[in-house]
């Protein structure tokens, strides 16, 4: 074995001559040099860049290698290797034999002085020769054999430990599978049972054990080959690595083959079971094409074909990969891969060349499909208010998507129509035909309603659930389509209004501002001039605040709309969010107005009536009059003269 100091010196020399940072000051000639490395005992000692006369760096390295072999064969002591300066160049000698010459050009490439370079090279060569002597000495050979034996005992110990303790994992794996795995069922029949899952896992763990053992053997052989001086220079490692890959590939192939075989026979068994329960006869418009038995036979035949195909692929791939693991058979692997790739390429090119139109259609359909999904996603985000565009309302999302999807489908049909077999129509003729049909159908009432429905969608005069009044129809909107709008009246009468009529009529929407600003309900009462107007305001506001559904804030308010001949008219205004319950709120408001005015002893002069009042009974309900109330006597006062 080589001493550590020898390895360090060789490594230092290698880094000194191969590191590009040390040649930063080289001139232009260095860029055209072809470096050559001197390899001795499978170790790189140094790299040469400079030409010496007609000798290239590779030729110089070859001659130096021959000199080193001569030194080894003659058993020249390493101490005799030294450098000598003759003013023109340095020479490295081994006794009387010149090993190499170190020129100024070598020093220039190395980025150091010629003297320093010569001393470093002499030290590297001396250390390499000394290391070779030590490796092949009796002590070195004994040490190498001892290392190999030590590695063998370590390998043996590891294998014994694996054989002893590795099987203890199997019960734990089985217990783990019992608690974690579940059977995969199809219509009540197990496709893969829990026991099959557990057995597969145990088999995989066993295969892993074999792979670990093979890898340990591989490491032992690699280290052993490197430790022995006779095999140190042999290129055995690629062969061992190829053998290891072969073993692993074989294990994986056996596992796959076993799994395929188990799956095949399990599928055959389950098909026989399904034949009487799950497999149904194939019918088209009541005509039986395949019976249960025949369909089961077709499935079994399909499984057999797939099994043969899978085995063929496994064998072919196994042999091809096996050839690729070794340098002498890599070309065979390329040839086998070519046997598959070449026909497939030819078939693909033939299909593409023979059916370019169908390929174009497939691409167009694929692009349009994902474009449709993208549009659906965008409009779904708009509908859910996760994507907001200014002036584009969320309730426009669904109808807009339907319109865009329809136009996209028509556009797709127009594009692919010229590529269909037997079609000679150009694309612009298709577009013209489509536009002509669209305009010709636009004169019908159905298209008029559709157009009106689209316009109403983007006008947003109402939405589902709104209380509206369309012409003489008032009720809640329960359905909006491209053709009609359906309204349910407070009497639960459903009225269907064509969209063209809706668009041509005036529309009153009671719900559009009810939630945010509040819908103002109003009612007018007439009270005599003898009642102070402030009192009337207070009574009307009190009655409004008593009404369920009327908002406390904003507060109700009263307007005096007119001063008529017999009485002023007061309009009470109250806010509510319940636009769909207008009739009920109005009814409660009117009832509360009557109660509040009766409680205050104020008559409501609507409808108006004429009466001689001075001695008449009050029109206030009897329940609101005091118990001691008595009607005054009837009196008449002349109006044409003054009272005396």
């Amino acid at each position: 074995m080589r001493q550590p100091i020898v390895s360090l010196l060789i490594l230092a020399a290698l880094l000194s001559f191969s590191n590009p940072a040390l040649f930063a000051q080289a001139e232009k000639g260095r860029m055209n040099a072809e470096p050559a490395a001197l390899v001795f005992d499978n170790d790189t000692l140094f790299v040469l860049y400079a030409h010496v006369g007609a000798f290239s760096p590779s030729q110089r390295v070859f001659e130096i290698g021959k000199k080193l072999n001569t030194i080894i064969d003659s058993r020249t002591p390493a101490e005799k290797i030294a450098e000598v300066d003759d003013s023109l160049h340095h020479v490295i000698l081994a006794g009387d034999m010149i090993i190499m010459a170190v020129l100024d050009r070598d020093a220039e490439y190395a980025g150091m002085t010629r003297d320093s370079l010569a001393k470093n090279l002499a030290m590297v060569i001396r250390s390499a020769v000394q290391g070779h002597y030590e490796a092949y000495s009796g002590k070195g050979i004994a040490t190498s054999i001892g290392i190999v034996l030590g590695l063998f005992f370590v390998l043996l110990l590891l294998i014994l430990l694996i054989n002893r303790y590795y099987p203890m994992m199997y019960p734990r794996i089985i217990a783990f599978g019992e608690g974690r795995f579940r059977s995969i069922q199809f219509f009540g029949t197990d496709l893969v049972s829990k026991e099959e899952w557990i057995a597969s896992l145990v088999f995989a763990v066993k295969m892993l054990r074999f792979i670990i053992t093979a890898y340990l053997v591989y490491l032992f052989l690699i280290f052993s080959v490197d430790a022995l001086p006779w095999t140190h220079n042999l290129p055995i490692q690629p062969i061992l690595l190829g053998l290891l890959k072969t073993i692993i590939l074989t294990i994986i192939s056996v596992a796959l083959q076993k799994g395929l075989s188990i799956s095949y026979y399990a599928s055959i068994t389950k098909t026989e079971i399904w034949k009487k329960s799950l497999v149904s006869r194939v019918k088209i418009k009541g005509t039986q094409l395949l019976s249960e038995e025949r369909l089961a036979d077709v499935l079994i035949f399909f499984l057999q074909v797939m099994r043969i195909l899978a085995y063929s692929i496994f064998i072919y791939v196994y042999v091809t990969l096996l050839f690729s693991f070794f340098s002498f058979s890599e070309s065979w692997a390329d040839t086998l891969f070519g046997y598959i790739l070449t026909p497939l390429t030819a078939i693909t090119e033939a299909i593409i060349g023979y059916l370019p139109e169908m390929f174009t259609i497939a691409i167009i359909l694929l692009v349009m499909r994902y474009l449709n999904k993208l549009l659906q996603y965008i409009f779904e985000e708009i509908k859910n208010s996760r994507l907001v565009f200014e002036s584009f309302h969320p309730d426009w999302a669904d109808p807009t998507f339907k319109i865009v999807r329809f136009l996209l489908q028509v556009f797709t049909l127009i594009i692919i129509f010229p590529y269909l077999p037997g079609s000679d129509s150009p694309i612009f003729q298709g577009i013209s035909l489509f536009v002509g049909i669209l305009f010709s159908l636009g004169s019908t009432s159905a298209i008029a309603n559709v157009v009106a429905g689209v316009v109403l969608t983007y006008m947003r005069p109402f939405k589902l659930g709104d209380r509206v009044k369309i012409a003489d129809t008032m009720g809640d909107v329960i359905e909006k389509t491209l053709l009609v709008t359906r309204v349910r009246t407070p009497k639960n009468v459903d009225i269907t209004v064509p969209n063209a009529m809706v668009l041509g009529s005036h529309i009153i929407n009671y719900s559009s501002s009810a939630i945010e600003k509040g819908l103002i309900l109003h009612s007018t009462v007439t009270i005599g001039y003898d009642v102070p107007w402030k009192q009337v305001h207070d009574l009307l506001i009190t009655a409004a605040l008593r009404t369920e559904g009327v908002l406390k804030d904003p507060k109700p308010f009263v307007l005096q709309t007119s001063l008529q001949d017999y009485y002023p008219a007061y309009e009470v205004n109250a806010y509510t969010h319940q636009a769909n319950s207008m009739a009920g709120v109005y009814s409660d408001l009117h009832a509360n107005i009557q109660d509040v005015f009766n409680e205050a002893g104020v008559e409501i002069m609507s409808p108006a009536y004429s009466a001689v009042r001075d001695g008449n009974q009050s029109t206030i309900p009897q329940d609101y009059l005091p118990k001691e109330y008595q009607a005054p006597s009837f009196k008449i006062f002349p109006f044409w003269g003054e009272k005396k």
Side-chain angles (χ1 to χ4, degrees):
M1 291 298 292
R2 296 171 177 82
Q3 296 299 328
I5 186 61
V6 176
S7 301
L8 291 176
L9 290 175
I10 294 175
L11 180 60
L14 175 61
L15 294 176
S16 298
F17 298 110
S18 61
N19 191 347
L22 297 179
F23 308 111
Q25 301 176 354
E27 298 294 334
K28 182 178 180 180
R30 181 188 314 177
M31 303 300 298
N32 299 324
E34 297 177 357
L38 176 62
V39 179
F40 179 74
D41 274 357
N42 209 27
D43 289 330
T44 301
L45 302 186
F46 51 82
V47 180
L48 295 179
Y49 292 85
H51 289 70
V52 178
F55 286 89
S56 65
S58 59
Q59 291 173 332
R60 294 178 62 191
V61 166
F62 177 75
E63 294 297 330
I64 296 171
K66 290 171 59 177
K67 301 292 182 61
L68 291 179
N69 290 330
T70 302
I71 293 173
I72 296 300
D73 294 338
S74 62
R75 304 297 295 179
T76 301
E79 293 80 5
K80 291 186 177 183
I81 299 175
E83 77 282 355
V84 177
D85 184 6
D86 61 357
S87 71
L88 295 178
H89 49 73
H90 276 74
V91 178
I92 300 177
L93 302 173
D96 297 332
M97 183 177 60
I98 299 176
I99 299 176
M100 65 177 294
V102 181
L103 307 179
D104 292 333
R105 202 174 308 162
D106 293 322
E108 180 183 356
Y109 277 108
M112 59 177 59
T113 64
R114 190 180 67 189
D115 180 66
S116 299
L117 178 60
K119 291 181 178 179
N120 286 336
L121 293 178
M123 181 182 63
V124 169
I125 295 174
R126 189 165 48 246
S127 300
V129 172
Q130 182 65 31
H132 180 85
Y133 290 157
E134 292 177 354
Y136 283 87
S137 64
K139 180 180 179 182
I141 294 174
T143 303
S144 300
I145 295 175
I147 292 175
V148 172
L149 292 176
L151 291 174
F152 176 76
F153 285 116
V154 171
L155 173 65
L156 185 61
L157 178 61
L158 291 176
I159 293 176
L160 291 176
L161 291 175
I162 290 174
N163 291 334
R164 179 177 179 83
Y165 294 104
Y166 201 92
M168 297 180 181
M169 298 173 56
Y170 301 155
R172 297 184 180 182
I173 293 174
I174 295 174
F176 174 82
E178 291 288 345
R180 297 292 192 280
F181 292 152
R182 296 291 184 271
S183 300
I184 299 178
Q185 295 185 343
F186 180 75
F187 288 99
T189 304
D190 289 343
L191 288 178
V192 182
S193 63
K194 180 169 67 174
E195 291 74 15
E196 291 173 343
W197 280 116
I198 297 174
S200 300
L201 182 59
V202 172
F203 178 77
V205 173
K206 290 181 178 179
M207 291 297 100
L208 180 61
R209 171 189 177 184
F210 190 83
I211 292 175
I212 293 174
T213 304
Y215 186 70
L216 291 176
V217 174
Y218 165 76
L219 292 178
F220 165 74
L221 294 176
I222 290 296
F223 284 113
S224 298
V225 168
D226 187 67
L228 295 173
W230 307 285
T231 57
H232 177 72
N233 298 327
L234 298 178
I236 299 178
Q237 183 172 355
I239 299 176
L240 294 178
L241 182 59
L243 292 175
L244 177 64
K245 292 181 179 180
T246 301
I247 294 173
I248 295 176
L249 177 63
T250 303
I251 294 173
I252 295 175
S253 300
V254 170
L256 290 177
Q257 185 274 334
K258 184 176 181 181
L260 178 63
S261 179
I262 293 175
S263 301
Y264 169 74
Y265 289 109
S267 301
I268 295 295
T269 303
K270 290 178 173 58
T271 302
E272 293 293 337
I273 297 174
W274 292 345
K275 183 167 61 176
K276 298 181 179 180
S277 58
L278 299 179
V279 178
S280 302
R281 59 175 61 94
V282 179
K283 293 183 178 181
I284 296 180
K285 294 183 178 181
T287 302
Q288 179 176 328
L289 298 180
L290 292 175
S291 63
E292 295 91 339
E293 293 77 10
R294 186 60 179 169
L295 186 57
D297 293 339
V298 171
L299 292 176
I300 293 174
F301 176 76
F302 175 76
L303 291 174
Q304 292 174 346
V305 172
M306 293 300 297
R307 180 192 183 192
I308 296 173
L309 181 62
Y311 276 133
S312 301
I313 294 175
F314 280 163
I315 294 173
Y316 195 90
V317 173
Y318 174 82
V319 174
T320 304
L321 292 177
L322 183 63
F323 287 159
S324 67
F325 293 157
F326 303 95
S327 58
F328 64 88
S329 60
E330 285 181 348
S331 60
W332 303 349
D334 295 336
T335 302
L336 290 177
F337 275 121
Y339 289 156
I340 295 179
L341 296 179
T342 301
L344 290 178
T345 303
I347 293 173
T348 303
E349 291 177 353
I351 293 175
I352 294 176
Y354 184 71
L355 298 174
E357 292 84 1
M358 297 303 296
F359 181 76
T360 303
I361 291 174
I363 294 298
I364 293 173
L365 293 177
L366 184 64
V367 172
M368 293 303 178
R369 176 186 178 187
Y370 283 100
L371 181 59
N372 182 73
K373 288 186 176 182
L374 176 62
L375 292 174
Q376 183 178 8
Y377 171 76
I378 292 175
F379 283 108
E380 190 70 23
E381 294 296 301
I382 295 175
K383 178 182 177 181
N384 297 325
S385 299
R386 290 192 291 265
L387 182 62
V388 179
F389 291 98
E390 187 177 359
S391 302
F392 192 93
H393 302 279
D395 53 352
W396 288 352
D398 278 341
T400 304
F401 171 68
K402 293 178 181 178
I403 295 172
V404 173
R405 182 179 60 184
F406 172 74
L407 295 177
L408 183 63
Q409 292 172 349
V410 173
F411 182 67
T412 304
L413 180 61
I414 293 173
I415 292 178
I416 68 175
F417 185 75
Y419 297 100
L420 295 176
S423 175
D424 297 325
S425 301
I427 184 172
F428 293 107
Q429 291 182 0
I431 295 177
S432 300
L433 179 63
F434 170 73
V435 173
I437 293 175
L438 182 64
F439 277 103
S440 63
L441 295 177
S443 58
T444 64
S445 59
I447 296 300
N449 284 325
V450 170
V451 173
V454 173
V455 174
L456 288 173
T457 297
Y458 293 98
M459 284 177 55
R460 301 183 71 246
F462 50 78
K463 60 180 182 294
L464 290 178
D466 283 356
R467 171 63 62 90
V468 298
K469 184 176 182 181
I470 302 173
D472 296 331
T473 302
M474 187 176 72
D476 300 331
V477 179
I478 60 174
E479 184 180 2
K480 292 192 305 179
T481 65
L482 287 177
L483 292 174
V484 298
T485 298
R486 289 186 173 84
V487 178
R488 179 168 294 164
T489 68
K491 304 299 183 181
N492 285 338
V493 177
D494 293 344
I495 300 177
T496 301
V497 185
N499 285 335
M501 183 179 295
V502 175
L503 186 62
S505 304
H506 65 279
I507 303 171
I508 301 175
N509 192 331
Y510 297 100
S511 302
S512 58
S513 300
I515 300 299
E516 296 181 0
K517 299 180 180 180
L519 174 65
I520 298 179
L521 304 180
H522 60 279
S523 184
T524 301
V525 296
T526 54
I527 308 298
Y529 282 103
D530 56 334
V531 181
W533 64 268
K534 292 184 179 180
Q535 182 182 6
V536 176
H537 283 212
D538 294 339
L539 293 176
L540 289 175
I541 292 174
T542 301
L545 293 175
R546 285 187 184 182
T547 304
E548 184 178 358
V550 171
L551 302 177
K552 303 299 187 292
D553 184 25
K555 187 177 180 181
F557 61 93
V558 179
L559 299 176
Q560 297 189 37
T561 58
S562 64
L563 299 176
Q564 302 179 18
D565 292 340
Y566 302 102
Y567 35 65
Y570 299 90
E571 182 185 84
V572 59
N573 295 267
Y575 294 87
T576 182
H577 290 325
Q578 302 176 10
N580 299 81
S581 303
M582 291 170 52
V585 177
Y586 266 124
S587 178
D588 294 342
L589 176 62
H590 294 155
N592 289 329
I593 290 175
Q594 295 180 65
D595 291 341
V596 170
F597 275 76
N598 288 335
E599 291 171 0
V602 177
E603 290 184 276
I604 299 176
M605 306 297 292
S606 177
Y609 57 88
S610 298
V612 180
R613 294 299 310 280
D614 188 66
N616 288 353
Q617 174 72 30
S618 174
T619 59
I620 298 175
Q622 189 67 32
D623 294 340
Y624 290 98
L625 294 176
K627 294 181 179 181
E628 62 276 8
Y629 172 79
Q630 293 182 357
S633 59
F634 186 80
K635 296 180 181 180
I636 298 177
F637 295 96
F639 58 87
W640 57 83
E642 295 183 358
K643 183 179 179 181
K644 298 183 180 180

